[in-house]
Amino acid sequence: LRENPEDQRAREAAQHEREQRREAMRERRRVQRRGHGARDAKRQAHESKKQAHARAVQRRVDQELRAAEAEVSRDERARWHGETLKLVFVTYFRVLKQRDSIGGLLPAVLEGLARYAHLIGVEFFADLFALLKRIMRGQQGVGVGAEEPEGTVVSARVSLRTALLCTLTALHILRGQGEALNLDVKDFFVQIYALLPPLAAAAHIEATRVAASSDATRFTAYQTPASVAAANAHRRALHAVSSNPADLADHLSDASAWEDTVRSESDLLFECLELLFLGRTKVSSILRVAAFAKRLCLCALHWPPRTAARAIDFVHRLYVKYPAIERLFASDGQGAGVYLREIDDPDMCNAFAACVWELHWLQIHHAPEVQQAAARLLEYARAEERKHRM
């Protein structure tokens, strides 16, 4: 649609008039500043020493008053920030302590706790850890129903996303002040280890969340980041070419539901693994590291190419930090016993009785990035083996 020429000329004339008024205002201000400067210079030339001293004292008093006002405003702002933070955490803890179904609030609360974990007081850490463990076992915050047994590692009543967020929240707490405390984190290692097989079977591990499913405690992902970006680009293009609100309404009714800011389960998993093994100052057990490396290679056979390549690269980084897992890459150096891959305890599965044969299958994967990641890891393993033989 083309604009009416008369409307266009009227708009241009109004714009020109506004520009002239702005220029006149700027010129008036410049003249005023020059006049004030001349008067100040004339006054300074004819004032006495006593007057100059009094003016300097007044200037210092004014500066001190301005500094005091700024200090008061900073204190006031800090007080209001503290009150706001207290109310946010009260809301978070109130949601966490609910035993009945709390809808879609739990994942949002866990994400908020993970983001602001460094602001939580140390005195709350022990209770918060115990509560997160109960949520992961399906004994808290997932609705009314039969409680899971005490030894349950992965509850069917807890979604994969919620379990990952519980672990991520606990690890962010440990990353700050909690690292100096003597808190048992083995349950979180076991939790992530037990979640790997279900995540290997998750069809939408790389997708972002769109909406809650019929089960209010679970969040279902249907769109990958690439498809969400394409939908948003199409929406922006429609805004650019169409000026009819009626045309935009039908499109925005669906497109506005897409969210491209929520992390996928794949991103949450690898952030947990980073914090467990590469972000902590304490060195993990070598049996635990080997068990995770073996299970990640198994899961990489089933994951989409992007997640499979990330898993292989993470195993590569584990090998660099923990060279003692080299026995997994030697076909003739396995330990005694049998590898128990069905056991969800990384310390008891006897991972050194197996080898990472999956890497040879991944070298013929249909995705080039997976092939290259597997080839790099095997080449590094061969180079380390040659180095030890020399």
Side-chain angles (χ1 to χ4, degrees):
L1 297 177
R2 293 194 300 176
E3 189 178 9
N4 190 347
E6 295 182 0
D7 294 341
Q8 184 178 2
R9 284 194 295 272
R11 191 179 68 253
E12 291 175 354
Q15 179 69 20
H16 181 66
E17 185 179 353
R18 285 195 296 271
E19 290 292 336
Q20 286 181 337
R21 285 200 299 269
R22 292 196 192 100
E23 184 62 29
M25 183 64 72
R26 285 194 289 267
E27 183 63 26
R28 193 179 303 118
R29 288 173 181 170
R30 284 195 292 269
V31 171
Q32 290 176 355
R33 284 196 294 269
R34 284 198 296 269
H36 286 308
R39 284 196 299 271
D40 291 342
K42 185 177 179 180
R43 183 180 62 190
Q44 292 176 12
H46 296 284
E47 68 183 3
S48 63
K49 293 183 178 180
K50 186 176 181 180
Q51 292 173 335
H53 176 71
R55 191 162 57 86
V57 170
Q58 184 63 36
R59 189 186 306 116
R60 286 197 296 271
V61 170
D62 292 340
Q63 291 177 352
E64 292 175 358
L65 287 175
R66 285 195 296 270
E69 290 176 358
E71 187 67 29
V72 169
S73 65
R74 281 197 296 268
D75 294 341
E76 187 73 11
R77 186 168 60 249
R79 186 177 70 82
W80 281 110
H81 284 175
E83 291 293 328
T84 305
L85 188 64
K86 184 176 71 173
L87 292 176
V88 168
F89 281 131
V90 166
T91 305
Y92 283 171
F93 294 149
R94 187 175 298 170
V95 172
L96 286 177
K97 291 170 67 175
Q98 295 291 326
R99 290 185 59 86
D100 296 336
S101 179
I102 53 178
L105 294 178
L106 186 57
V109 166
L110 292 172
E111 288 187 12
L113 282 176
R115 179 174 298 180
Y116 302 115
H118 62 286
L119 301 174
I120 302 176
V122 181
E123 62 272 14
F124 299 109
F125 284 178
D127 294 336
L128 188 56
F129 263 61
L131 190 58
L132 291 174
K133 291 178 182 178
R134 288 182 59 82
I135 293 174
M136 289 190 301
R137 293 168 181 163
Q139 300 168 351
Q140 184 85 21
V142 291
V144 178
E147 288 195 357
E148 300 284 345
E150 194 64 32
T152 302
V153 178
V154 180
S155 173
R157 301 168 61 202
V158 180
S159 67
L160 296 176
R161 184 178 186 84
T162 300
L164 287 170
L165 285 171
C166 284
T167 307
L168 187 60
T169 302
L171 294 176
H172 274 293
I173 291 173
L174 283 175
R175 191 179 183 182
Q177 307 173 69
E179 197 168 27
L181 302 178
N182 189 18
L183 296 174
D184 184 16
V185 296
K186 181 183 177 182
D187 288 348
F188 297 104
F189 278 97
V190 174
Q191 174 73 19
I192 291 295
Y193 187 75
L195 284 175
L196 288 176
L199 286 170
H204 304 289
I205 188 173
E206 293 182 352
T208 54
R209 175 174 64 83
V210 174
S213 63
S214 58
D215 180 2
T217 65
R218 296 173 182 268
F219 281 78
T220 309
Y222 295 104
Q223 287 291 314
T224 62
S227 60
V228 170
N232 290 336
H234 179 59
R235 181 174 57 181
R236 288 191 293 269
L238 187 62
H239 271 290
V241 301
S242 177
S243 59
N244 186 5
D247 295 339
L248 295 174
D250 296 335
H251 179 74
L252 293 180
S253 62
D254 294 331
S256 59
W258 305 118
E259 298 182 11
D260 53 356
T261 59
V262 179
R263 291 176 297 174
S264 64
E265 293 173 357
S266 174
D267 295 334
L268 294 175
L269 170 64
F270 285 103
E271 185 175 353
C272 289
L273 292 173
E274 289 269 349
L275 293 173
L276 281 171
F277 293 103
L278 304 177
R280 302 175 69 238
T281 57
K282 298 178 182 178
V283 179
S284 300
S285 165
I286 194 61
L287 294 174
R288 193 175 296 168
V289 176
F292 270 90
K294 173 61 178 174
R295 184 164 279 193
L296 282 171
C297 290
L298 275 170
C299 293
L301 295 172
H302 307 278
W303 276 331
R306 179 172 169 269
T307 304
R310 290 180 70 180
I312 298 170
D313 289 337
F314 184 78
V315 174
H316 193 161
R317 295 169 66 190
L318 284 181
Y319 193 3
V320 172
K321 184 174 180 179
Y322 301 94
I325 66 171
E326 62 182 356
R327 284 183 286 169
L328 289 175
F329 297 85
S331 58
D332 55 349
Q334 286 79 30
V338 179
Y339 171 55
L340 305 174
R341 64 178 183 178
E342 296 84 5
I343 294 181
D344 287 331
D345 189 341
D347 296 334
M348 304 297 294
C349 67
N350 195 20
F352 281 123
C355 64
V356 285
W357 53 266
E358 299 86 0
L359 291 175
H360 297 281
W361 280 98
L362 292 169
Q363 276 190 303
I364 56 175
H365 196 276
H366 65 88
E369 61 266 29
V370 179
Q371 297 178 13
Q372 295 167 5
R376 284 196 302 268
L377 179 52
L378 288 174
E379 181 60 31
Y380 179 80
R382 295 189 189 101
E384 289 295 310
E385 185 179 359
R386 288 194 297 268
K387 188 188 302 183
H388 290 308
R389 288 179 179 177
M390 293 176 60

